[in-house]
Amino acid sequence: MGKIVTVTLNPAIDKTVTLPRLEPGCVNRIHQVRTDPGGKGINVARALHQWGADVTATGFNGGWTGKWLESYLQQEGITHHLVPLPGDTRMNWKLMETETDRVTDINEPGFRVTEKALILLEIQLSEVLEGAKAVVFAGSLPDGVSEDVYQRLIDLAQKKQVPVFVDTEGVPFQKCMEQAPFAVKPNMDEVSKWMGFKIEKEEDIRRAGHCLLDKGVKVAVISMGEQGAWFFMKEQQFRTVPVSIHHAHPVGAGDAMVAGLLYGMSSGWNWKKTARFATAAGTVAASYPGTQFGSLEEVEAVAPQVQLIE
Ligand SMILES: Nc1ncnc2c1ncn2[C@@H]1O[C@H](COP(=O)(O)OP(=O)(O)OP(=O)(O)O)[C@@H](O)[C@H]1O
Ligand SMILES: [Mg+2]
Protein backbone atom coordinates (compact mmCIF):
# COMPACT_ATOMS: atom_id res chain seq x y z
CA MET A 1 0.00 0.00 0.00
CA GLY A 2 2.90 2.40 0.68
CA LYS A 3 3.54 5.11 3.20
CA ILE A 4 1.22 8.10 3.55
CA VAL A 5 2.58 11.29 5.12
CA THR A 6 0.45 13.87 6.90
CA VAL A 7 1.59 17.45 7.56
CA THR A 8 -0.08 19.34 10.41
CA LEU A 9 1.43 22.76 10.97
CA ASN A 10 -1.16 23.71 13.58
CA PRO A 11 -2.10 20.62 15.61
CA ALA A 12 -4.51 20.92 18.50
CA ILE A 13 -6.09 19.25 21.43
CA ASP A 14 -9.86 19.26 21.09
CA LYS A 15 -11.89 19.54 24.27
CA THR A 16 -15.54 18.70 23.64
CA VAL A 17 -17.64 19.96 26.50
CA THR A 18 -21.33 19.16 26.95
CA LEU A 19 -23.57 21.37 29.07
CA PRO A 20 -27.32 22.07 29.09
CA ARG A 21 -27.10 25.72 28.05
CA LEU A 22 -24.23 28.19 27.90
CA GLU A 23 -24.87 31.19 30.11
CA PRO A 24 -22.40 33.95 29.23
CA GLY A 25 -21.14 35.90 32.24
CA CYS A 26 -22.09 33.09 34.67
CA VAL A 27 -20.43 30.04 36.14
CA ASN A 28 -21.21 27.17 33.75
CA ARG A 29 -21.07 23.59 34.97
CA ILE A 30 -19.99 20.97 32.51
CA HIS A 31 -21.84 17.64 32.26
CA GLN A 32 -19.35 15.75 30.14
CA VAL A 33 -15.96 16.43 28.70
CA ARG A 34 -13.84 14.52 26.23
CA THR A 35 -10.32 15.19 25.07
CA ASP A 36 -9.22 14.26 21.56
CA PRO A 37 -6.09 14.98 19.61
CA GLY A 38 -6.85 17.43 16.83
CA GLY A 39 -5.65 19.34 13.84
CA LYS A 40 -6.81 18.05 10.48
CA GLY A 41 -3.59 16.28 9.50
CA ILE A 42 -3.38 14.53 12.88
CA ASN A 43 -6.96 13.35 12.42
CA VAL A 44 -6.20 12.01 8.95
CA ALA A 45 -3.23 10.13 10.43
CA ARG A 46 -5.38 8.70 13.24
CA ALA A 47 -8.01 7.43 10.81
CA LEU A 48 -5.45 5.89 8.45
CA HIS A 49 -3.60 4.23 11.32
CA GLN A 50 -6.85 2.81 12.67
CA TRP A 51 -7.48 1.23 9.27
CA GLY A 52 -4.03 -0.36 9.30
CA ALA A 53 -2.35 1.97 6.78
CA ASP A 54 1.32 2.89 6.99
CA VAL A 55 1.18 6.55 8.00
CA THR A 56 3.70 9.06 9.32
CA ALA A 57 2.51 12.26 11.00
CA THR A 58 4.72 15.33 10.66
CA GLY A 59 4.34 18.97 11.66
CA PHE A 60 4.95 21.11 14.72
CA ASN A 61 4.21 20.54 18.39
CA GLY A 62 4.95 22.31 21.65
CA GLY A 63 4.57 22.76 25.40
CA TRP A 64 2.64 20.62 27.89
CA THR A 65 -0.28 20.20 25.51
CA GLY A 66 2.23 19.00 22.93
CA LYS A 67 3.50 16.41 25.43
CA TRP A 68 -0.06 15.11 25.75
CA LEU A 69 -0.37 14.90 21.96
CA GLU A 70 2.98 13.18 21.62
CA SER A 71 2.14 10.60 24.29
CA TYR A 72 -1.18 9.93 22.55
CA LEU A 73 0.55 9.27 19.23
CA GLN A 74 3.13 7.13 21.01
CA GLN A 75 0.50 5.10 22.79
CA GLU A 76 -1.47 4.54 19.60
CA GLY A 77 1.68 3.52 17.77
CA ILE A 78 1.36 6.28 15.15
CA THR A 79 4.76 7.07 13.65
CA HIS A 80 5.42 10.78 14.10
CA HIS A 81 8.13 13.36 13.56
CA LEU A 82 6.93 16.62 15.07
CA VAL A 83 9.34 19.55 15.26
CA PRO A 84 9.27 20.93 18.84
CA LEU A 85 8.47 24.61 19.47
CA PRO A 86 8.74 26.61 22.69
CA GLY A 87 5.04 27.63 22.79
CA ASP A 88 2.04 25.39 23.53
CA THR A 89 0.08 23.35 21.00
CA ARG A 90 -3.32 25.08 21.00
CA MET A 91 -6.35 23.78 22.82
CA ASN A 92 -9.68 24.11 21.01
CA TRP A 93 -12.89 24.08 23.03
CA LYS A 94 -16.16 22.98 21.55
CA LEU A 95 -19.10 23.81 23.80
CA MET A 96 -22.16 21.71 22.95
CA GLU A 97 -25.48 22.77 24.45
CA THR A 98 -27.89 19.87 24.85
CA GLU A 99 -30.97 22.10 25.25
CA THR A 100 -30.39 24.19 22.15
CA ASP A 101 -28.08 21.96 20.03
CA ARG A 102 -25.90 25.07 19.63
CA VAL A 103 -22.16 24.56 19.31
CA THR A 104 -19.73 27.31 20.34
CA ASP A 105 -16.08 27.07 19.35
CA ILE A 106 -13.34 28.75 21.37
CA ASN A 107 -9.97 28.30 19.69
CA GLU A 108 -6.61 29.24 21.19
CA PRO A 109 -4.06 30.84 18.87
CA GLY A 110 -1.34 28.30 19.77
CA PHE A 111 2.42 28.52 19.32
CA ARG A 112 4.42 30.75 17.03
CA VAL A 113 6.61 29.08 14.42
CA THR A 114 10.17 30.31 13.94
CA GLU A 115 12.00 30.22 10.60
CA LYS A 116 14.52 27.84 12.17
CA ALA A 117 11.74 25.40 13.10
CA LEU A 118 10.32 25.64 9.58
CA ILE A 119 13.71 24.76 8.10
CA LEU A 120 13.93 21.79 10.49
CA LEU A 121 10.49 20.66 9.32
CA GLU A 122 11.59 20.91 5.69
CA ILE A 123 14.62 18.74 6.44
CA GLN A 124 12.49 16.15 8.24
CA LEU A 125 9.78 16.21 5.63
CA SER A 126 12.25 15.66 2.82
CA GLU A 127 13.49 12.52 4.55
CA VAL A 128 10.02 11.22 5.39
CA LEU A 129 8.74 11.86 1.85
CA GLU A 130 11.32 9.48 0.40
CA GLY A 131 9.32 6.63 -1.12
CA ALA A 132 5.98 7.98 0.12
CA LYS A 133 2.82 7.12 -1.82
CA ALA A 134 1.07 10.40 -0.97
CA VAL A 135 1.25 13.42 1.32
CA VAL A 136 -1.55 15.52 2.75
CA PHE A 137 -1.33 19.12 3.88
CA ALA A 138 -4.31 19.76 6.10
CA GLY A 139 -5.61 22.44 8.38
CA SER A 140 -5.01 26.03 9.30
CA LEU A 141 -1.69 27.84 9.61
CA PRO A 142 -0.08 28.72 12.93
CA ASP A 143 1.27 32.17 13.78
CA GLY A 144 4.68 33.04 12.45
CA VAL A 145 4.48 31.37 9.03
CA SER A 146 3.66 33.21 5.83
CA GLU A 147 0.48 32.37 3.96
CA ASP A 148 2.45 30.69 1.18
CA VAL A 149 4.18 28.21 3.51
CA TYR A 150 2.22 25.30 2.06
CA GLN A 151 3.52 26.21 -1.40
CA ARG A 152 7.07 25.88 -0.15
CA LEU A 153 6.34 22.45 1.35
CA ILE A 154 4.23 21.26 -1.60
CA ASP A 155 7.12 22.12 -3.88
CA LEU A 156 9.31 19.79 -1.84
CA ALA A 157 6.84 16.92 -2.30
CA GLN A 158 6.28 17.60 -6.00
CA LYS A 159 10.04 17.56 -6.65
CA LYS A 160 9.99 14.03 -5.23
CA GLN A 161 6.95 13.14 -7.38
CA VAL A 162 4.79 12.45 -4.33
CA PRO A 163 1.09 13.17 -5.05
CA VAL A 164 -0.13 16.07 -2.89
CA PHE A 165 -3.55 16.19 -1.19
CA VAL A 166 -4.75 19.51 0.26
CA ASP A 167 -7.45 20.24 2.81
CA THR A 168 -7.33 23.82 3.99
CA GLU A 169 -9.26 27.02 3.36
CA GLY A 170 -9.05 30.72 2.61
CA VAL A 171 -5.79 32.27 1.45
CA PRO A 172 -3.67 29.16 2.20
CA PHE A 173 -6.02 27.12 -0.03
CA GLN A 174 -5.78 29.74 -2.77
CA LYS A 175 -1.98 29.62 -2.53
CA CYS A 176 -1.96 25.80 -2.59
CA MET A 177 -4.07 25.88 -5.76
CA GLU A 178 -1.26 27.80 -7.49
CA GLN A 179 0.87 24.65 -7.07
CA ALA A 180 -1.75 22.45 -8.79
CA PRO A 181 -1.91 19.76 -6.09
CA PHE A 182 -3.00 16.25 -7.07
CA ALA A 183 -6.22 16.31 -5.02
CA VAL A 184 -8.25 18.80 -2.98
CA LYS A 185 -11.34 18.36 -0.78
CA PRO A 186 -13.01 21.65 0.04
CA ASN A 187 -16.48 21.70 1.57
CA MET A 188 -19.15 24.02 0.19
CA ASP A 189 -18.10 27.02 2.29
CA GLU A 190 -14.46 26.58 1.43
CA VAL A 191 -15.07 26.23 -2.30
CA SER A 192 -17.46 29.22 -2.18
CA LYS A 193 -14.70 31.31 -0.64
CA TRP A 194 -12.31 30.22 -3.35
CA MET A 195 -14.80 30.90 -6.15
CA GLY A 196 -15.81 34.24 -4.62
CA PHE A 197 -19.56 33.57 -4.48
CA LYS A 198 -21.92 31.36 -2.50
CA ILE A 199 -22.22 27.98 -4.17
CA GLU A 200 -25.53 26.25 -3.71
CA LYS A 201 -26.99 24.96 -6.97
CA GLU A 202 -25.72 21.89 -8.77
CA GLU A 203 -24.60 23.93 -11.78
CA ASP A 204 -22.46 26.12 -9.48
CA ILE A 205 -20.88 23.03 -7.92
CA ARG A 206 -20.09 21.66 -11.38
CA ARG A 207 -18.61 25.00 -12.38
CA ALA A 208 -16.46 25.05 -9.23
CA GLY A 209 -15.34 21.46 -9.86
CA HIS A 210 -14.27 22.34 -13.40
CA CYS A 211 -12.47 25.48 -12.22
CA LEU A 212 -10.46 23.34 -9.79
CA LEU A 213 -9.59 20.90 -12.60
CA ASP A 214 -8.66 23.79 -14.90
CA LYS A 215 -6.04 24.82 -12.33
CA GLY A 216 -4.36 21.46 -12.81
CA VAL A 217 -5.89 19.49 -9.94
CA LYS A 218 -6.44 15.83 -10.90
CA VAL A 219 -9.11 15.01 -8.33
CA ALA A 220 -11.44 17.63 -6.89
CA VAL A 221 -13.87 16.51 -4.22
CA ILE A 222 -16.47 18.97 -2.97
CA SER A 223 -18.09 17.69 0.20
CA MET A 224 -21.57 18.65 1.31
CA GLY A 225 -22.01 17.07 4.75
CA GLU A 226 -25.10 14.86 4.93
CA GLN A 227 -25.72 15.47 1.21
CA GLY A 228 -22.53 13.57 0.32
CA ALA A 229 -19.93 14.83 -2.12
CA TRP A 230 -19.19 15.59 -5.75
CA PHE A 231 -16.13 14.00 -7.34
CA PHE A 232 -14.52 15.64 -10.36
CA MET A 233 -11.82 14.02 -12.46
CA LYS A 234 -10.99 14.87 -16.06
CA GLU A 235 -12.48 11.69 -17.46
CA GLN A 236 -15.41 11.25 -15.07
CA GLN A 237 -17.52 13.03 -12.51
CA PHE A 238 -20.20 11.78 -10.16
CA ARG A 239 -21.87 12.42 -6.87
CA THR A 240 -22.10 10.20 -3.80
CA VAL A 241 -25.08 10.11 -1.47
CA PRO A 242 -24.27 8.80 2.01
CA VAL A 243 -26.49 6.65 4.18
CA SER A 244 -28.42 8.70 6.68
CA ILE A 245 -27.61 8.62 10.36
CA HIS A 246 -29.82 9.55 13.31
CA HIS A 247 -27.71 11.87 15.34
CA ALA A 248 -24.78 13.44 13.52
CA HIS A 249 -21.60 14.76 15.15
CA PRO A 250 -20.00 16.03 11.96
CA VAL A 251 -16.70 17.19 13.53
CA GLY A 252 -13.93 15.29 11.78
CA ALA A 253 -16.15 13.90 8.99
CA GLY A 254 -14.16 15.83 6.42
CA ASP A 255 -10.88 14.51 7.83
CA ALA A 256 -12.21 10.95 7.64
CA MET A 257 -13.19 11.59 4.03
CA VAL A 258 -9.68 12.83 3.19
CA ALA A 259 -8.22 9.76 4.93
CA GLY A 260 -10.60 7.61 2.86
CA LEU A 261 -9.43 9.22 -0.38
CA LEU A 262 -5.81 8.59 0.56
CA TYR A 263 -6.58 5.02 1.62
CA GLY A 264 -8.32 4.21 -1.66
CA MET A 265 -5.74 5.89 -3.84
CA SER A 266 -2.78 4.24 -2.15
CA SER A 267 -4.55 0.87 -2.34
CA GLY A 268 -4.76 1.31 -6.11
CA TRP A 269 -8.59 1.33 -6.13
CA ASN A 270 -10.52 3.03 -8.91
CA TRP A 271 -12.16 6.38 -8.08
CA LYS A 272 -15.67 4.99 -7.71
CA LYS A 273 -14.62 2.47 -5.09
CA THR A 274 -12.49 5.13 -3.41
CA ALA A 275 -15.38 7.62 -3.45
CA ARG A 276 -17.76 5.14 -1.81
CA PHE A 277 -15.20 4.30 0.85
CA ALA A 278 -14.34 7.98 1.53
CA THR A 279 -18.02 8.96 1.72
CA ALA A 280 -18.71 6.09 4.11
CA ALA A 281 -15.66 7.03 6.21
CA GLY A 282 -17.14 10.52 6.63
CA THR A 283 -20.50 9.07 7.67
CA VAL A 284 -18.99 6.67 10.19
CA ALA A 285 -16.96 9.54 11.72
CA ALA A 286 -20.10 11.71 11.81
CA SER A 287 -21.95 8.98 13.70
CA TYR A 288 -19.51 9.21 16.64
CA PRO A 289 -19.15 12.08 19.11
CA GLY A 290 -15.85 13.96 19.18
CA THR A 291 -13.34 12.94 16.54
CA GLN A 292 -13.54 9.16 16.28
CA PHE A 293 -13.21 7.41 12.97
CA GLY A 294 -14.50 3.88 13.34
CA SER A 295 -12.78 0.70 12.23
CA LEU A 296 -11.96 -0.42 8.70
CA GLU A 297 -14.71 -3.08 9.03
CA GLU A 298 -17.29 -0.43 9.93
CA VAL A 299 -16.37 1.75 6.95
CA GLU A 300 -16.29 -1.27 4.63
CA ALA A 301 -19.76 -2.27 5.82
CA VAL A 302 -21.19 1.19 5.01
CA ALA A 303 -19.35 1.76 1.70
CA PRO A 304 -21.57 -0.54 -0.47
CA GLN A 305 -24.64 1.36 0.78
CA VAL A 306 -23.32 4.65 -0.58
CA GLN A 307 -25.30 5.67 -3.65
CA LEU A 308 -23.42 6.85 -6.71
CA ILE A 309 -25.11 9.24 -9.14
CA GLU A 310 -23.53 9.99 -12.51
N1 LIG B 1 -24.77 14.03 8.78
C1 LIG B 1 -24.12 13.22 7.97
N2 LIG B 1 -24.67 12.08 7.53
C2 LIG B 1 -24.05 11.23 6.70
N3 LIG B 1 -22.80 11.47 6.22
C3 LIG B 1 -22.17 12.60 6.60
C4 LIG B 1 -22.77 13.53 7.50
N4 LIG B 1 -21.91 14.56 7.70
C5 LIG B 1 -20.81 14.26 6.98
N5 LIG B 1 -20.95 13.10 6.32
C6 LIG B 1 -20.00 12.46 5.38
O1 LIG B 1 -18.72 13.04 5.56
C7 LIG B 1 -18.30 13.73 4.36
C8 LIG B 1 -17.54 14.98 4.72
O2 LIG B 1 -18.35 15.82 5.53
P1 LIG B 1 -18.35 17.41 5.43
O3 LIG B 1 -18.75 17.86 4.08
O4 LIG B 1 -19.17 17.88 6.60
O5 LIG B 1 -16.81 17.73 5.65
P2 LIG B 1 -16.11 19.04 6.24
O6 LIG B 1 -17.06 20.20 6.18
O7 LIG B 1 -14.83 19.16 5.55
O8 LIG B 1 -15.90 18.59 7.75
P3 LIG B 1 -14.70 18.90 8.79
O9 LIG B 1 -15.35 19.70 9.86
O10 LIG B 1 -14.23 17.58 9.27
O11 LIG B 1 -13.64 19.65 8.05
C9 LIG B 1 -19.61 13.98 3.59
O12 LIG B 1 -19.35 14.12 2.21
C10 LIG B 1 -20.41 12.73 3.94
O13 LIG B 1 -19.98 11.62 3.18
MG1 LIG C 1 -13.05 20.01 6.24
Side-chain angles (χ1 to χ4, degrees):
M1 184 186 216
K3 173 173 64 177
I4 299 167
V5 178
T6 69
V7 182
T8 317
L9 301 187
N10 207 9
I13 294 180
D14 292 335
K15 280 270 185 198
T16 312
V17 165
T18 314
L19 71 179
R21 178 184 281 271
L22 184 65
E23 304 282 3
C26 297
V27 173
N28 287 268
R29 298 207 187 274
I30 289 167
H31 276 188
Q32 263 182 325
V33 59
R34 52 169 301 140
T35 310
D36 290 300
K40 292 188 177 301
I42 295 285
N43 284 342
V44 172
R46 289 170 59 205
L48 286 167
H49 179 73
Q50 191 160 347
W51 302 335
D54 174 6
V55 61
T56 299
T58 71
F60 296 117
N61 198 24
W64 70 272
T65 40
K67 285 214 169 66
W68 185 90
L69 182 63
E70 186 111 26
S71 67
Y72 172 90
L73 295 170
Q74 195 85 38
Q75 222 169 316
E76 292 295 309
I78 300 173
T79 308
H80 55 281
H81 298 281
L82 301 172
V83 174
L85 284 166
D88 288 338
T89 291
R90 72 207 157 113
M91 186 105 87
N92 290 339
W93 301 81
K94 207 163 269 298
L95 312 180
M96 324 249 299
E97 296 171 62
T98 47
E99 281 178 15
T100 61
D101 271 344
R102 254 189 333 199
V103 179
T104 306
D105 284 280
I106 301 176
N107 293 352
E108 290 182 5
F111 47 56
R112 207 183 154 75
V113 175
T114 58
E115 180 61 23
K116 193 173 146 210
L118 186 55
I119 292 168
L120 277 175
L121 178 71
E122 284 180 308
I123 295 169
Q124 264 185 16
L125 194 57
S126 340
E127 280 174 27
V128 169
L129 283 172
E130 250 358 286
K133 196 85 188 195
V135 57
V136 57
F137 296 89
S140 60
L141 299 184
D143 274 353
V145 298
S146 75
E147 280 174 326
D148 58 8
V149 64
Y150 275 145
Q151 276 177 290
R152 197 165 142 179
L153 301 175
I154 287 174
D155 192 47
L156 207 71
Q158 287 177 332
K159 287 204 171 106
K160 291 180 187 287
Q161 268 102 42
V162 179
V164 170
F165 285 59
V166 165
D167 184 12
T168 185
E169 63 177 309
V171 177
F173 180 73
Q174 213 175 302
K175 299 271 183 195
C176 285
M177 282 304 296
E178 289 172 27
Q179 293 294 120
F182 177 78
V184 293
K185 193 225 65 71
N187 63 23
M188 294 284 270
D189 283 341
E190 291 158 356
V191 81
S192 294
K193 256 188 235 165
W194 183 70
M195 289 291 282
F197 68 96
K198 182 135 186 67
I199 289 171
E200 279 161 324
K201 295 188 298 259
E202 184 178 321
E203 62 184 87
D204 293 338
I205 300 173
R206 283 182 186 275
R207 206 172 120 200
H210 288 287
C211 282
L212 291 165
L213 294 183
D214 286 345
K215 294 281 177 197
V217 165
K218 298 283 179 282
V219 184
V221 182
I222 300 176
S223 72
M224 310 178 290
E226 62 185 355
Q227 314 275 336
W230 272 96
F231 290 74
F232 297 93
M233 280 77 63
K234 215 181 201 157
E235 58 295 345
Q236 57 176 336
Q237 49 195 262
F238 51 81
R239 190 196 148 179
T240 55
V241 182
V243 296
S244 50
I245 48 177
H246 289 302
H247 197 71
H249 313 264
V251 187
D255 307 333
M257 175 166 251
V258 172
L261 295 171
L262 284 155
Y263 190 91
M265 184 231 153
S266 52
S267 302
W269 295 349
N270 65 40
W271 284 109
K272 284 188 178 154
K273 182 169 177 182
T274 299
R276 279 206 168 89
F277 182 87
T279 302
T283 306
V284 170
S287 71
Y288 283 115
T291 49
Q292 298 175 76
F293 300 101
S295 65
L296 183 61
E297 293 71 27
E298 280 176 272
V299 179
E300 280 177 336
V302 177
Q305 300 171 56
V306 173
Q307 225 184 307
L308 216 138
I309 303 170
E310 289 187 73

PDB file of all heavy atoms in Angstrom, residues 255-268:
ATOM      1  N   ASP A 255     -12.211  15.117   7.675  1.00  0.00           N
ATOM      2  CA  ASP A 255     -10.876  14.512   7.829  1.00  0.00           C
ATOM      3  C   ASP A 255     -10.943  13.017   7.503  1.00  0.00           C
ATOM      4  O   ASP A 255     -10.035  12.470   6.872  1.00  0.00           O
ATOM      5  CB  ASP A 255     -10.355  14.714   9.257  1.00  0.00           C
ATOM      6  CG  ASP A 255     -10.398  16.180   9.670  1.00  0.00           C
ATOM      7  OD1 ASP A 255     -10.322  17.038   8.767  1.00  0.00           O
ATOM      8  OD2 ASP A 255     -10.524  16.461  10.867  1.00  0.00           O
ATOM      9  N   ALA A 256     -12.034  12.372   7.939  1.00  0.00           N
ATOM     10  CA  ALA A 256     -12.211  10.949   7.638  1.00  0.00           C
ATOM     11  C   ALA A 256     -12.333  10.752   6.131  1.00  0.00           C
ATOM     12  O   ALA A 256     -11.796   9.785   5.564  1.00  0.00           O
ATOM     13  CB  ALA A 256     -13.471  10.426   8.330  1.00  0.00           C
ATOM     14  N   MET A 257     -13.024  11.688   5.478  1.00  0.00           N
ATOM     15  CA  MET A 257     -13.188  11.586   4.028  1.00  0.00           C
ATOM     16  C   MET A 257     -11.829  11.716   3.327  1.00  0.00           C
ATOM     17  O   MET A 257     -11.511  10.935   2.416  1.00  0.00           O
ATOM     18  CB  MET A 257     -14.154  12.665   3.542  1.00  0.00           C
ATOM     19  CG  MET A 257     -14.296  12.708   2.048  1.00  0.00           C
ATOM     20  SD  MET A 257     -15.692  13.683   1.531  1.00  0.00           S
ATOM     21  CE  MET A 257     -16.783  12.399   0.956  1.00  0.00           C
ATOM     22  N   VAL A 258     -11.015  12.657   3.770  1.00  0.00           N
ATOM     23  CA  VAL A 258      -9.676  12.831   3.187  1.00  0.00           C
ATOM     24  C   VAL A 258      -8.855  11.559   3.408  1.00  0.00           C
ATOM     25  O   VAL A 258      -8.190  11.059   2.491  1.00  0.00           O
ATOM     26  CB  VAL A 258      -8.963  14.073   3.794  1.00  0.00           C
ATOM     27  CG1 VAL A 258      -7.514  14.141   3.341  1.00  0.00           C
ATOM     28  CG2 VAL A 258      -9.706  15.348   3.415  1.00  0.00           C
ATOM     29  N   ALA A 259      -8.944  11.010   4.630  1.00  0.00           N
ATOM     30  CA  ALA A 259      -8.224   9.763   4.928  1.00  0.00           C
ATOM     31  C   ALA A 259      -8.717   8.653   3.989  1.00  0.00           C
ATOM     32  O   ALA A 259      -7.914   7.863   3.474  1.00  0.00           O
ATOM     33  CB  ALA A 259      -8.437   9.372   6.384  1.00  0.00           C
ATOM     34  N   GLY A 260     -10.017   8.620   3.755  1.00  0.00           N
ATOM     35  CA  GLY A 260     -10.603   7.610   2.859  1.00  0.00           C
ATOM     36  C   GLY A 260     -10.087   7.746   1.433  1.00  0.00           C
ATOM     37  O   GLY A 260      -9.807   6.744   0.762  1.00  0.00           O
ATOM     38  N   LEU A 261      -9.952   8.989   0.980  1.00  0.00           N
ATOM     39  CA  LEU A 261      -9.429   9.218  -0.384  1.00  0.00           C
ATOM     40  C   LEU A 261      -7.989   8.719  -0.485  1.00  0.00           C
ATOM     41  O   LEU A 261      -7.608   8.056  -1.458  1.00  0.00           O
ATOM     42  CB  LEU A 261      -9.452  10.720  -0.719  1.00  0.00           C
ATOM     43  CG  LEU A 261     -10.824  11.391  -0.810  1.00  0.00           C
ATOM     44  CD1 LEU A 261     -10.681  12.901  -0.914  1.00  0.00           C
ATOM     45  CD2 LEU A 261     -11.591  10.851  -2.015  1.00  0.00           C
ATOM     46  N   LEU A 262      -7.214   9.022   0.545  1.00  0.00           N
ATOM     47  CA  LEU A 262      -5.806   8.586   0.556  1.00  0.00           C
ATOM     48  C   LEU A 262      -5.716   7.065   0.630  1.00  0.00           C
ATOM     49  O   LEU A 262      -4.874   6.446  -0.031  1.00  0.00           O
ATOM     50  CB  LEU A 262      -5.091   9.203   1.764  1.00  0.00           C
ATOM     51  CG  LEU A 262      -4.747  10.684   1.627  1.00  0.00           C
ATOM     52  CD1 LEU A 262      -4.621  11.345   2.981  1.00  0.00           C
ATOM     53  CD2 LEU A 262      -3.448  10.862   0.837  1.00  0.00           C
ATOM     54  N   TYR A 263      -6.581   6.468   1.435  1.00  0.00           N
ATOM     55  CA  TYR A 263      -6.580   5.018   1.618  1.00  0.00           C
ATOM     56  C   TYR A 263      -6.875   4.325   0.282  1.00  0.00           C
ATOM     57  O   TYR A 263      -6.168   3.394  -0.118  1.00  0.00           O
ATOM     58  CB  TYR A 263      -7.613   4.619   2.666  1.00  0.00           C
ATOM     59  CG  TYR A 263      -7.524   3.178   3.091  1.00  0.00           C
ATOM     60  CD1 TYR A 263      -6.728   2.805   4.174  1.00  0.00           C
ATOM     61  CD2 TYR A 263      -8.219   2.175   2.414  1.00  0.00           C
ATOM     62  CE1 TYR A 263      -6.634   1.477   4.568  1.00  0.00           C
ATOM     63  CE2 TYR A 263      -8.128   0.847   2.798  1.00  0.00           C
ATOM     64  CZ  TYR A 263      -7.337   0.500   3.876  1.00  0.00           C
ATOM     65  OH  TYR A 263      -7.231  -0.813   4.257  1.00  0.00           O
ATOM     66  N   GLY A 264      -7.917   4.813  -0.387  1.00  0.00           N
ATOM     67  CA  GLY A 264      -8.315   4.212  -1.661  1.00  0.00           C
ATOM     68  C   GLY A 264      -7.258   4.383  -2.730  1.00  0.00           C
ATOM     69  O   GLY A 264      -6.902   3.445  -3.448  1.00  0.00           O
ATOM     70  N   MET A 265      -6.732   5.615  -2.806  1.00  0.00           N
ATOM     71  CA  MET A 265      -5.736   5.894  -3.839  1.00  0.00           C
ATOM     72  C   MET A 265      -4.472   5.055  -3.626  1.00  0.00           C
ATOM     73  O   MET A 265      -3.946   4.453  -4.556  1.00  0.00           O
ATOM     74  CB  MET A 265      -5.393   7.387  -3.807  1.00  0.00           C
ATOM     75  CG  MET A 265      -4.446   7.801  -4.881  1.00  0.00           C
ATOM     76  SD  MET A 265      -3.119   8.711  -4.114  1.00  0.00           S
ATOM     77  CE  MET A 265      -1.801   8.436  -5.203  1.00  0.00           C
ATOM     78  N   SER A 266      -4.021   4.976  -2.361  1.00  0.00           N
ATOM     79  CA  SER A 266      -2.776   4.237  -2.151  1.00  0.00           C
ATOM     80  C   SER A 266      -3.004   2.729  -2.196  1.00  0.00           C
ATOM     81  O   SER A 266      -2.047   1.961  -2.283  1.00  0.00           O
ATOM     82  CB  SER A 266      -2.074   4.674  -0.865  1.00  0.00           C
ATOM     83  OG  SER A 266      -2.965   4.618   0.182  1.00  0.00           O
ATOM     84  N   SER A 267      -4.262   2.300  -2.164  1.00  0.00           N
ATOM     85  CA  SER A 267      -4.553   0.871  -2.342  1.00  0.00           C
ATOM     86  C   SER A 267      -4.696   0.519  -3.816  1.00  0.00           C
ATOM     87  O   SER A 267      -4.933  -0.642  -4.162  1.00  0.00           O
ATOM     88  CB  SER A 267      -5.860   0.494  -1.634  1.00  0.00           C
ATOM     89  OG  SER A 267      -5.788   0.798  -0.272  1.00  0.00           O
ATOM     90  N   GLY A 268      -4.648   1.550  -4.668  1.00  0.00           N
ATOM     91  CA  GLY A 268      -4.758   1.314  -6.111  1.00  0.00           C
ATOM     92  C   GLY A 268      -6.190   1.094  -6.568  1.00  0.00           C
ATOM     93  O   GLY A 268      -6.426   0.552  -7.651  1.00  0.00           O
TER      94      GLY A 268
END
